[in-house]
Amino acid sequence: MVIDSIKNGIVIDHIQAGRGMKLLSYLSIDNENDTVAIIMNASSKKRGKKDIIKIENVDSNSFNMDVVGLIDPDATVNIIENEEIKAKVRPTLPARVENVIKCKNPRCVTSSERGLKNIFVLNDEENREYRCVYCDEIVSMDKE
Amino acid sequence: MLKGKSVLEPMDLTMEEMQDLFETADDIIANPEKYAHAADGKIMGTLFYEPSTRTRLSFASAMLRLGGQVMGFSDASSSSVSKGESIADTIRTVGCFADVIVMRHPKEGAPRVAAEHSFVPVINAGDGGHQHPSQTFTDLMTIREYKGRLDNLTIGLCGDLMFGRTVHSLIKALTRFKNIKLKLISPEELVVPEYIRNSIMKKSGIDFEEVRHMEDVLPELDVLYMTRVQKERFFNEEDYVRLRDSFILDEAKMKLAKDDMIVMHPLPRVNEIAVEVDDDPRAHYFDQVRLGMYVRMALITKVLGLEA
Ligand SMILES: [Zn+2]
């Protein structure tokens, strides 16, 4: 399968197979100008199978790298300019994310208070666990 | 220094601040007249979004005994919040009238939202199944008062350990003290949640054992903390009745316990402590209520930075 390489934008490579769609939904790209391609189950030397996401014309400065770190810290983010890889970035597990994870505890105040941000902080690095700062609900990004 | 700070969970206080809180409560008990005007001219706002008469009266009496005034609502339906006002707006308004805000809310984390928008300290008086710090301070104060220490103790926690908020907070707070042995007594259906077992107890290294029968551990206990098994936790009446009745403390069981063990309960009780136990000198659950008021007096003086 051949997908055209992009001129300017971001390629998220080496995503663990099966996590691509999830990552895309967390990235919540709805910009009319972005062209997005997702490739699932591509063959990979490193992982056997992998997912790839290509986003054209996205501004790398406003791109939320935390989300990639949250969903798949082993993925690589390539920043493309003029069809060349300008930078390769390894995402890290973010210490805190705002409005990325939604608290699932129905008793949490984030479910009722208008305009309140969902804020999660890293609780356990090894298990990729995040904790809601309001109700202490724990989510493991491994299990998600 | 607790002055001006919100108290949302027990761990918001350092060990030193907690120690200071208990010592202040001791001083209030010994010299109530010294504190009778400590809060003169101060107003406490009690925002109770769900009714809890016991907690509200305890805070109110604490403030009144310090010479302060109390205002607020005891039920969200009687206030503007029923019209859908956000917590943020309510708190910015009430903060103009009160010097300290005491808040009870069914939503977990609501007092944190309040504290983020408040000009004055917020005390969490219970948020859903989450936190209730003044209850935890009361429990610790009671153990300290009747056992004379908060370390080197074997403490039995009995009943609903799965949904019991007071038990979770107490376990967390007890991990701070040395040589505590916990005996967790509950039916299999109501054991402590995974996160308490893994993230709190195992992580802290506290000594704990989970057992099914009170009789197995009663002779070892210095403290027995009883909790209510709530009916709404069960799908059918049969299970409820069966589990409820298997964790009842009566005088026959009290015979197995040490002469100086103390019995505690956050109240209200249903039938988990037989009435006959009330006359046992080891029963301290009503003393707990009294100490709760003094701990709340101490807490108010601390967050308001009052001098005796
Ligand atoms: Zn939450």
Side-chain angles (χ1 to χ4, degrees), chain B residues 89-108:
Chain B
D89 285 1
T90 303
I91 223 73
R92 279 186 282 227
T93 311
V94 178
C96 299
F97 311 140
D99 300 290
V100 56
I101 290 168
V102 175
M103 184 183 199
R104 171 97 167 195
H105 201 288
K107 289 287 182 179
E108 300 176 2

mmCIF file with all atom_site columns, all heavy atoms in Angstrom, chain B residues 89-108:
data_model
loop_
_atom_site.group_PDB
_atom_site.id
_atom_site.type_symbol
_atom_site.label_atom_id
_atom_site.label_alt_id
_atom_site.label_comp_id
_atom_site.label_asym_id
_atom_site.label_entity_id
_atom_site.label_seq_id
_atom_site.pdbx_PDB_ins_code
_atom_site.Cartn_x
_atom_site.Cartn_y
_atom_site.Cartn_z
_atom_site.occupancy
_atom_site.B_iso_or_equiv
_atom_site.pdbx_formal_charge
_atom_site.auth_seq_id
_atom_site.auth_comp_id
_atom_site.auth_asym_id
_atom_site.auth_atom_id
_atom_site.pdbx_PDB_model_num
ATOM 1   N N   . ASP B 1 89  ? -19.424 30.505 40.729 1.00 0.00 ? 89  ASP B N   1
ATOM 2   C CA  . ASP B 1 89  ? -20.159 31.745 40.980 1.00 0.00 ? 89  ASP B CA  1
ATOM 3   C C   . ASP B 1 89  ? -20.673 31.819 42.410 1.00 0.00 ? 89  ASP B C   1
ATOM 4   O O   . ASP B 1 89  ? -20.607 32.865 43.044 1.00 0.00 ? 89  ASP B O   1
ATOM 5   C CB  . ASP B 1 89  ? -21.350 31.859 40.008 1.00 0.00 ? 89  ASP B CB  1
ATOM 6   C CG  . ASP B 1 89  ? -20.892 32.229 38.602 1.00 0.00 ? 89  ASP B CG  1
ATOM 7   O OD1 . ASP B 1 89  ? -19.668 32.384 38.392 1.00 0.00 ? 89  ASP B OD1 1
ATOM 8   O OD2 . ASP B 1 89  ? -21.760 32.359 37.718 1.00 0.00 ? 89  ASP B OD2 1
ATOM 9   N N   . THR B 1 90  ? -21.195 30.702 42.908 1.00 0.00 ? 90  THR B N   1
ATOM 10  C CA  . THR B 1 90  ? -21.715 30.683 44.276 1.00 0.00 ? 90  THR B CA  1
ATOM 11  C C   . THR B 1 90  ? -20.615 31.057 45.264 1.00 0.00 ? 90  THR B C   1
ATOM 12  O O   . THR B 1 90  ? -20.810 31.861 46.173 1.00 0.00 ? 90  THR B O   1
ATOM 13  C CB  . THR B 1 90  ? -22.278 29.285 44.628 1.00 0.00 ? 90  THR B CB  1
ATOM 14  O OG1 . THR B 1 90  ? -23.284 28.952 43.680 1.00 0.00 ? 90  THR B OG1 1
ATOM 15  C CG2 . THR B 1 90  ? -22.870 29.252 46.023 1.00 0.00 ? 90  THR B CG2 1
ATOM 16  N N   . ILE B 1 91  ? -19.451 30.484 45.054 1.00 0.00 ? 91  ILE B N   1
ATOM 17  C CA  . ILE B 1 91  ? -18.373 30.670 46.013 1.00 0.00 ? 91  ILE B CA  1
ATOM 18  C C   . ILE B 1 91  ? -17.824 32.099 45.958 1.00 0.00 ? 91  ILE B C   1
ATOM 19  O O   . ILE B 1 91  ? -17.478 32.676 46.974 1.00 0.00 ? 91  ILE B O   1
ATOM 20  C CB  . ILE B 1 91  ? -17.267 29.602 45.777 1.00 0.00 ? 91  ILE B CB  1
ATOM 21  C CG1 . ILE B 1 91  ? -16.803 29.057 47.112 1.00 0.00 ? 91  ILE B CG1 1
ATOM 22  C CG2 . ILE B 1 91  ? -16.083 30.138 45.016 1.00 0.00 ? 91  ILE B CG2 1
ATOM 23  C CD1 . ILE B 1 91  ? -17.748 28.146 47.785 1.00 0.00 ? 91  ILE B CD1 1
ATOM 24  N N   . ARG B 1 92  ? -17.779 32.674 44.765 1.00 0.00 ? 92  ARG B N   1
ATOM 25  C CA  . ARG B 1 92  ? -17.296 34.052 44.650 1.00 0.00 ? 92  ARG B CA  1
ATOM 26  C C   . ARG B 1 92  ? -18.257 35.016 45.339 1.00 0.00 ? 92  ARG B C   1
ATOM 27  O O   . ARG B 1 92  ? -17.865 36.074 45.812 1.00 0.00 ? 92  ARG B O   1
ATOM 28  C CB  . ARG B 1 92  ? -17.104 34.433 43.185 1.00 0.00 ? 92  ARG B CB  1
ATOM 29  C CG  . ARG B 1 92  ? -15.767 33.911 42.659 1.00 0.00 ? 92  ARG B CG  1
ATOM 30  C CD  . ARG B 1 92  ? -15.483 34.402 41.266 1.00 0.00 ? 92  ARG B CD  1
ATOM 31  N NE  . ARG B 1 92  ? -16.249 33.633 40.289 1.00 0.00 ? 92  ARG B NE  1
ATOM 32  C CZ  . ARG B 1 92  ? -15.735 33.122 39.184 1.00 0.00 ? 92  ARG B CZ  1
ATOM 33  N NH1 . ARG B 1 92  ? -14.460 33.308 38.902 1.00 0.00 ? 92  ARG B NH1 1
ATOM 34  N NH2 . ARG B 1 92  ? -16.476 32.434 38.342 1.00 0.00 ? 92  ARG B NH2 1
ATOM 35  N N   . THR B 1 93  ? -19.536 34.636 45.373 1.00 0.00 ? 93  THR B N   1
ATOM 36  C CA  . THR B 1 93  ? -20.536 35.467 46.036 1.00 0.00 ? 93  THR B CA  1
ATOM 37  C C   . THR B 1 93  ? -20.446 35.290 47.551 1.00 0.00 ? 93  THR B C   1
ATOM 38  O O   . THR B 1 93  ? -20.281 36.256 48.290 1.00 0.00 ? 93  THR B O   1
ATOM 39  C CB  . THR B 1 93  ? -21.956 35.057 45.568 1.00 0.00 ? 93  THR B CB  1
ATOM 40  O OG1 . THR B 1 93  ? -21.949 34.985 44.152 1.00 0.00 ? 93  THR B OG1 1
ATOM 41  C CG2 . THR B 1 93  ? -22.981 36.046 46.034 1.00 0.00 ? 93  THR B CG2 1
ATOM 42  N N   . VAL B 1 94  ? -20.525 34.036 47.984 1.00 0.00 ? 94  VAL B N   1
ATOM 43  C CA  . VAL B 1 94  ? -20.538 33.773 49.423 1.00 0.00 ? 94  VAL B CA  1
ATOM 44  C C   . VAL B 1 94  ? -19.219 34.217 50.076 1.00 0.00 ? 94  VAL B C   1
ATOM 45  O O   . VAL B 1 94  ? -19.206 34.668 51.216 1.00 0.00 ? 94  VAL B O   1
ATOM 46  C CB  . VAL B 1 94  ? -20.831 32.284 49.711 1.00 0.00 ? 94  VAL B CB  1
ATOM 47  C CG1 . VAL B 1 94  ? -20.807 32.004 51.205 1.00 0.00 ? 94  VAL B CG1 1
ATOM 48  C CG2 . VAL B 1 94  ? -22.178 31.883 49.129 1.00 0.00 ? 94  VAL B CG2 1
ATOM 49  N N   . GLY B 1 95  ? -18.140 34.116 49.298 1.00 0.00 ? 95  GLY B N   1
ATOM 50  C CA  . GLY B 1 95  ? -16.826 34.533 49.814 1.00 0.00 ? 95  GLY B CA  1
ATOM 51  C C   . GLY B 1 95  ? -16.792 36.002 50.215 1.00 0.00 ? 95  GLY B C   1
ATOM 52  O O   . GLY B 1 95  ? -15.950 36.426 50.992 1.00 0.00 ? 95  GLY B O   1
ATOM 53  N N   . CYS B 1 96  ? -17.719 36.793 49.654 1.00 0.00 ? 96  CYS B N   1
ATOM 54  C CA  . CYS B 1 96  ? -17.809 38.210 50.034 1.00 0.00 ? 96  CYS B CA  1
ATOM 55  C C   . CYS B 1 96  ? -18.445 38.377 51.400 1.00 0.00 ? 96  CYS B C   1
ATOM 56  O O   . CYS B 1 96  ? -18.257 39.385 52.061 1.00 0.00 ? 96  CYS B O   1
ATOM 57  C CB  . CYS B 1 96  ? -18.641 38.989 49.011 1.00 0.00 ? 96  CYS B CB  1
ATOM 58  S SG  . CYS B 1 96  ? -17.956 38.974 47.360 1.00 0.00 ? 96  CYS B SG  1
ATOM 59  N N   . PHE B 1 97  ? -19.238 37.393 51.809 1.00 0.00 ? 97  PHE B N   1
ATOM 60  C CA  . PHE B 1 97  ? -19.975 37.516 53.076 1.00 0.00 ? 97  PHE B CA  1
ATOM 61  C C   . PHE B 1 97  ? -19.291 36.780 54.232 1.00 0.00 ? 97  PHE B C   1
ATOM 62  O O   . PHE B 1 97  ? -19.440 37.159 55.377 1.00 0.00 ? 97  PHE B O   1
ATOM 63  C CB  . PHE B 1 97  ? -21.388 36.912 52.942 1.00 0.00 ? 97  PHE B CB  1
ATOM 64  C CG  . PHE B 1 97  ? -22.151 37.376 51.734 1.00 0.00 ? 97  PHE B CG  1
ATOM 65  C CD1 . PHE B 1 97  ? -22.928 36.489 50.994 1.00 0.00 ? 97  PHE B CD1 1
ATOM 66  C CD2 . PHE B 1 97  ? -22.101 38.714 51.330 1.00 0.00 ? 97  PHE B CD2 1
ATOM 67  C CE1 . PHE B 1 97  ? -23.649 36.920 49.889 1.00 0.00 ? 97  PHE B CE1 1
ATOM 68  C CE2 . PHE B 1 97  ? -22.822 39.143 50.215 1.00 0.00 ? 97  PHE B CE2 1
ATOM 69  C CZ  . PHE B 1 97  ? -23.594 38.251 49.492 1.00 0.00 ? 97  PHE B CZ  1
ATOM 70  N N   . ALA B 1 98  ? -18.589 35.690 53.909 1.00 0.00 ? 98  ALA B N   1
ATOM 71  C CA  . ALA B 1 98  ? -18.077 34.823 54.973 1.00 0.00 ? 98  ALA B CA  1
ATOM 72  C C   . ALA B 1 98  ? -16.554 34.886 55.074 1.00 0.00 ? 98  ALA B C   1
ATOM 73  O O   . ALA B 1 98  ? -15.871 35.234 54.121 1.00 0.00 ? 98  ALA B O   1
ATOM 74  C CB  . ALA B 1 98  ? -18.522 33.386 54.715 1.00 0.00 ? 98  ALA B CB  1
ATOM 75  N N   . ASP B 1 99  ? -16.047 34.526 56.255 1.00 0.00 ? 99  ASP B N   1
ATOM 76  C CA  . ASP B 1 99  ? -14.604 34.483 56.478 1.00 0.00 ? 99  ASP B CA  1
ATOM 77  C C   . ASP B 1 99  ? -14.042 33.089 56.258 1.00 0.00 ? 99  ASP B C   1
ATOM 78  O O   . ASP B 1 99  ? -12.846 32.906 56.070 1.00 0.00 ? 99  ASP B O   1
ATOM 79  C CB  . ASP B 1 99  ? -14.298 34.938 57.911 1.00 0.00 ? 99  ASP B CB  1
ATOM 80  C CG  . ASP B 1 99  ? -14.783 36.357 58.150 1.00 0.00 ? 99  ASP B CG  1
ATOM 81  O OD1 . ASP B 1 99  ? -14.179 37.272 57.586 1.00 0.00 ? 99  ASP B OD1 1
ATOM 82  O OD2 . ASP B 1 99  ? -15.796 36.533 58.874 1.00 0.00 ? 99  ASP B OD2 1
ATOM 83  N N   . VAL B 1 100 ? -14.931 32.106 56.343 1.00 0.00 ? 100 VAL B N   1
ATOM 84  C CA  . VAL B 1 100 ? -14.541 30.716 56.094 1.00 0.00 ? 100 VAL B CA  1
ATOM 85  C C   . VAL B 1 100 ? -15.783 30.002 55.553 1.00 0.00 ? 100 VAL B C   1
ATOM 86  O O   . VAL B 1 100 ? -16.905 30.328 55.940 1.00 0.00 ? 100 VAL B O   1
ATOM 87  C CB  . VAL B 1 100 ? -13.979 30.025 57.374 1.00 0.00 ? 100 VAL B CB  1
ATOM 88  C CG1 . VAL B 1 100 ? -14.975 30.081 58.530 1.00 0.00 ? 100 VAL B CG1 1
ATOM 89  C CG2 . VAL B 1 100 ? -13.577 28.573 57.102 1.00 0.00 ? 100 VAL B CG2 1
ATOM 90  N N   . ILE B 1 101 ? -15.550 29.085 54.625 1.00 0.00 ? 101 ILE B N   1
ATOM 91  C CA  . ILE B 1 101 ? -16.680 28.369 54.030 1.00 0.00 ? 101 ILE B CA  1
ATOM 92  C C   . ILE B 1 101 ? -16.554 26.876 54.316 1.00 0.00 ? 101 ILE B C   1
ATOM 93  O O   . ILE B 1 101 ? -15.481 26.283 54.138 1.00 0.00 ? 101 ILE B O   1
ATOM 94  C CB  . ILE B 1 101 ? -16.750 28.622 52.505 1.00 0.00 ? 101 ILE B CB  1
ATOM 95  C CG1 . ILE B 1 101 ? -17.182 30.076 52.245 1.00 0.00 ? 101 ILE B CG1 1
ATOM 96  C CG2 . ILE B 1 101 ? -17.710 27.637 51.823 1.00 0.00 ? 101 ILE B CG2 1
ATOM 97  C CD1 . ILE B 1 101 ? -17.028 30.534 50.816 1.00 0.00 ? 101 ILE B CD1 1
ATOM 98  N N   . VAL B 1 102 ? -17.644 26.304 54.802 1.00 0.00 ? 102 VAL B N   1
ATOM 99  C CA  . VAL B 1 102 ? -17.691 24.860 55.028 1.00 0.00 ? 102 VAL B CA  1
ATOM 100 C C   . VAL B 1 102 ? -18.654 24.287 53.991 1.00 0.00 ? 102 VAL B C   1
ATOM 101 O O   . VAL B 1 102 ? -19.784 24.749 53.872 1.00 0.00 ? 102 VAL B O   1
ATOM 102 C CB  . VAL B 1 102 ? -18.188 24.530 56.456 1.00 0.00 ? 102 VAL B CB  1
ATOM 103 C CG1 . VAL B 1 102 ? -18.351 23.031 56.640 1.00 0.00 ? 102 VAL B CG1 1
ATOM 104 C CG2 . VAL B 1 102 ? -17.200 25.085 57.486 1.00 0.00 ? 102 VAL B CG2 1
ATOM 105 N N   . MET B 1 103 ? -18.178 23.317 53.218 1.00 0.00 ? 103 MET B N   1
ATOM 106 C CA  . MET B 1 103 ? -18.972 22.850 52.092 1.00 0.00 ? 103 MET B CA  1
ATOM 107 C C   . MET B 1 103 ? -19.175 21.349 52.074 1.00 0.00 ? 103 MET B C   1
ATOM 108 O O   . MET B 1 103 ? -18.237 20.578 52.221 1.00 0.00 ? 103 MET B O   1
ATOM 109 C CB  . MET B 1 103 ? -18.265 23.262 50.803 1.00 0.00 ? 103 MET B CB  1
ATOM 110 C CG  . MET B 1 103 ? -19.036 22.908 49.558 1.00 0.00 ? 103 MET B CG  1
ATOM 111 S SD  . MET B 1 103 ? -18.019 23.381 48.149 1.00 0.00 ? 103 MET B SD  1
ATOM 112 C CE  . MET B 1 103 ? -19.235 23.447 46.889 1.00 0.00 ? 103 MET B CE  1
ATOM 113 N N   . ARG B 1 104 ? -20.436 20.973 51.883 1.00 0.00 ? 104 ARG B N   1
ATOM 114 C CA  . ARG B 1 104 ? -20.790 19.575 51.685 1.00 0.00 ? 104 ARG B CA  1
ATOM 115 C C   . ARG B 1 104 ? -21.437 19.483 50.311 1.00 0.00 ? 104 ARG B C   1
ATOM 116 O O   . ARG B 1 104 ? -22.285 20.317 49.979 1.00 0.00 ? 104 ARG B O   1
ATOM 117 C CB  . ARG B 1 104 ? -21.811 19.168 52.748 1.00 0.00 ? 104 ARG B CB  1
ATOM 118 C CG  . ARG B 1 104 ? -22.413 17.795 52.522 1.00 0.00 ? 104 ARG B CG  1
ATOM 119 C CD  . ARG B 1 104 ? -21.675 16.806 53.353 1.00 0.00 ? 104 ARG B CD  1
ATOM 120 N NE  . ARG B 1 104 ? -22.311 15.527 53.456 1.00 0.00 ? 104 ARG B NE  1
ATOM 121 C CZ  . ARG B 1 104 ? -21.953 14.649 54.384 1.00 0.00 ? 104 ARG B CZ  1
ATOM 122 N NH1 . ARG B 1 104 ? -21.038 14.954 55.284 1.00 0.00 ? 104 ARG B NH1 1
ATOM 123 N NH2 . ARG B 1 104 ? -22.515 13.470 54.417 1.00 0.00 ? 104 ARG B NH2 1
ATOM 124 N N   . HIS B 1 105 ? -21.006 18.516 49.503 1.00 0.00 ? 105 HIS B N   1
ATOM 125 C CA  . HIS B 1 105 ? -21.510 18.456 48.132 1.00 0.00 ? 105 HIS B CA  1
ATOM 126 C C   . HIS B 1 105 ? -21.534 17.006 47.664 1.00 0.00 ? 105 HIS B C   1
ATOM 127 O O   . HIS B 1 105 ? -20.621 16.246 47.956 1.00 0.00 ? 105 HIS B O   1
ATOM 128 C CB  . HIS B 1 105 ? -20.589 19.290 47.220 1.00 0.00 ? 105 HIS B CB  1
ATOM 129 C CG  . HIS B 1 105 ? -21.234 19.724 45.944 1.00 0.00 ? 105 HIS B CG  1
ATOM 130 N ND1 . HIS B 1 105 ? -21.499 18.840 44.926 1.00 0.00 ? 105 HIS B ND1 1
ATOM 131 C CD2 . HIS B 1 105 ? -21.688 20.928 45.520 1.00 0.00 ? 105 HIS B CD2 1
ATOM 132 C CE1 . HIS B 1 105 ? -22.090 19.501 43.927 1.00 0.00 ? 105 HIS B CE1 1
ATOM 133 N NE2 . HIS B 1 105 ? -22.211 20.772 44.261 1.00 0.00 ? 105 HIS B NE2 1
ATOM 134 N N   . PRO B 1 106 ? -22.574 16.615 46.914 1.00 0.00 ? 106 PRO B N   1
ATOM 135 C CA  . PRO B 1 106 ? -22.617 15.217 46.454 1.00 0.00 ? 106 PRO B CA  1
ATOM 136 C C   . PRO B 1 106 ? -21.578 14.900 45.376 1.00 0.00 ? 106 PRO B C   1
ATOM 137 O O   . PRO B 1 106 ? -21.221 13.737 45.194 1.00 0.00 ? 106 PRO B O   1
ATOM 138 C CB  . PRO B 1 106 ? -24.040 15.067 45.889 1.00 0.00 ? 106 PRO B CB  1
ATOM 139 C CG  . PRO B 1 106 ? -24.507 16.455 45.600 1.00 0.00 ? 106 PRO B CG  1
ATOM 140 C CD  . PRO B 1 106 ? -23.803 17.347 46.574 1.00 0.00 ? 106 PRO B CD  1
ATOM 141 N N   . LYS B 1 107 ? -21.075 15.940 44.692 1.00 0.00 ? 107 LYS B N   1
ATOM 142 C CA  . LYS B 1 107 ? -20.107 15.697 43.619 1.00 0.00 ? 107 LYS B CA  1
ATOM 143 C C   . LYS B 1 107 ? -18.672 15.668 44.165 1.00 0.00 ? 107 LYS B C   1
ATOM 144 O O   . LYS B 1 107 ? -18.263 16.569 44.919 1.00 0.00 ? 107 LYS B O   1
ATOM 145 C CB  . LYS B 1 107 ? -20.214 16.783 42.547 1.00 0.00 ? 107 LYS B CB  1
ATOM 146 C CG  . LYS B 1 107 ? -21.481 16.682 41.720 1.00 0.00 ? 107 LYS B CG  1
ATOM 147 C CD  . LYS B 1 107 ? -21.420 15.506 40.762 1.00 0.00 ? 107 LYS B CD  1
ATOM 148 C CE  . LYS B 1 107 ? -22.674 15.431 39.907 1.00 0.00 ? 107 LYS B CE  1
ATOM 149 N NZ  . LYS B 1 107 ? -22.629 14.317 38.952 1.00 0.00 ? 107 LYS B NZ  1
ATOM 150 N N   . GLU B 1 108 ? -17.914 14.669 43.753 1.00 0.00 ? 108 GLU B N   1
ATOM 151 C CA  . GLU B 1 108 ? -16.552 14.513 44.250 1.00 0.00 ? 108 GLU B CA  1
ATOM 152 C C   . GLU B 1 108 ? -15.630 15.537 43.603 1.00 0.00 ? 108 GLU B C   1
ATOM 153 O O   . GLU B 1 108 ? -15.582 15.652 42.387 1.00 0.00 ? 108 GLU B O   1
ATOM 154 C CB  . GLU B 1 108 ? -16.096 13.076 43.982 1.00 0.00 ? 108 GLU B CB  1
ATOM 155 C CG  . GLU B 1 108 ? -17.029 12.104 44.696 1.00 0.00 ? 108 GLU B CG  1
ATOM 156 C CD  . GLU B 1 108 ? -16.752 10.640 44.430 1.00 0.00 ? 108 GLU B CD  1
ATOM 157 O OE1 . GLU B 1 108 ? -15.810 10.318 43.704 1.00 0.00 ? 108 GLU B OE1 1
ATOM 158 O OE2 . GLU B 1 108 ? -17.518 9.817  44.978 1.00 0.00 ? 108 GLU B OE2 1
#
